[in-house]
Amino acid sequence: IKEGEAGLDMTVGHVANDSYELVDPDAPVGLFQHIFSQNKVLVVWERGQVSGLITKIDVIDYLAHHQNTNQAL
């Protein structure tokens, strides 16, 4: 990694992109499958601020864990 315009000295604004969608914390995750298929993340927006981020792998991990928990019962 180098210094300068294309290195660690650049600002966050240069790196940030629009690969995200703002969502309400009460929204069903299943509604956002098309967002995950575009390799975007969900930014959970609650009371005027970011309260969390959800990636496709977060959902996969949650479902895998939840499924394993149900099978153990």
Side-chain angles (χ1 to χ4, degrees):
I1 300 176
K2 62 181 185 173
E3 294 181 13
E5 187 174 322
L8 296 177
D9 293 340
M10 73 179 110
T11 65
V12 172
H14 284 99
V15 178
N17 58 47
D18 62 352
S19 294
Y20 65 90
E21 294 290 332
L22 294 177
V23 298
D24 186 89
D26 296 324
V29 173
L31 293 177
F32 303 103
Q33 185 174 359
H34 67 283
I35 293 171
F36 292 134
S37 70
Q38 298 171 10
N39 295 320
K40 292 185 174 188
V41 299
L42 300 178
V43 176
V44 183
W45 188 258
E46 187 173 20
R47 292 186 290 262
Q49 63 183 7
V50 173
S51 66
L53 298 173
I54 302 173
T55 66
K56 182 179 1 183
I57 196 68
D58 293 330
V59 175
I60 292 168
D61 285 345
Y62 175 83
L63 293 174
H65 176 48
H66 186 70
Q67 181 180 18
N68 290 338
T69 302
N70 285 340
Q71 288 177 356
L73 297 176

